[in-house]
Amino acid sequence: MERTLSIVKPDGVKKSLIGEVVRRFERNGLKVVGMKMIHMDKKEAEGFYAVHRGKPFFESLTDFMSSGPCVVMVLEGENAIQKTRELMGATDPAQAKEGTLRRQFATNVERNVVHGSDGPDTAAFEISYFFNALEIFEY
Ligand code: CMP
């Protein structure tokens, strides 16, 4: 069993896609073991995306991610990291496979509806950024 962090980004929340995103994950064997709605401030968004500091899209990305509420969730399942990434599709919706969340719903590479951790180390960091042990459940 593996855990990953996913976020319905501000564009996804505004487009009423919370349910659609969660439904895709659940239907594909991922269990939601933690979930909440948050509104990051700029500093919190910068901390979350710290690995991207210095990249040309960092300012705009962190402005966008702090522009409205997000839904953050911990997903658990076999190969949860890879499975989540497959269901999301490529970062750039133009490159994403048919039927993926980003291909269907994203506007562009920044407003791409959903985030998922890209590896085990990132998943551990990202889960602990938003959730403490009491906010993750076994059922
Ligand atoms: P995400 O999976 O949340 O991780 C980093 C985010 O940076 C990515 O999705 C994109 O939304 C955003 N981003 C914006 N521009 C770019 C870019 N040129 N390349 C990669 N990621 C980008």
Side-chain angles (χ1 to χ4, degrees):
M1 280 299 156
E2 189 175 63
R3 285 180 178 169
T4 190
L5 182 96
S6 180
I7 306 178
V8 184
K9 296 186 178 187
D11 59 328
V13 172
K14 283 182 187 147
K15 288 178 177 172
S16 301
L17 290 170
I18 298 168
E20 179 66 23
V21 172
V22 174
R23 189 180 70 93
R24 296 274 177 109
F25 292 153
E26 288 190 324
R27 276 210 175 164
N28 286 279
L30 293 161
K31 193 194 266 192
V32 179
V33 294
M35 175 180 260
K36 54 186 154 184
M37 183 175 271
I38 58 159
H39 186 155
M40 281 185 265
D41 64 23
K42 176 82 169 163
K43 284 256 169 309
E44 289 164 341
E46 286 173 354
F48 180 74
Y49 281 118
V51 290
H52 295 299
R53 192 179 282 281
K55 293 188 185 158
F57 56 84
F58 183 73
E59 272 309 309
S60 173
L61 173 65
T62 51
D63 279 346
F64 165 58
M65 290 300 286
S66 55
S67 69
C70 293
V71 171
V72 290
M73 66 191 112
V74 181
L75 301 170
E76 185 179 87
E78 247 172 69
N79 298 317
I81 295 171
Q82 184 57 28
K83 201 177 271 181
T84 302
R85 294 179 69 74
E86 279 166 18
L87 293 168
M88 292 191 303
T91 309
D92 180 354
Q95 312 289 325
K97 283 191 191 144
E98 208 62 62
T100 59
L101 286 162
R102 284 167 168 167
R103 177 64 177 254
Q104 258 184 287
F105 301 115
T107 307
N108 56 41
V109 73
E110 179 175 278
R111 289 163 197 263
N112 64 354
V113 175
V114 64
H115 165 86
S117 311
D118 66 4
D121 294 349
T122 326
F125 166 75
E126 293 183 350
I127 291 168
S128 69
Y129 198 77
F130 294 118
F131 292 87
N132 65 42
L134 295 174
E135 296 168 322
I136 299 175
F137 302 90
E138 277 181 37
Y139 62 92

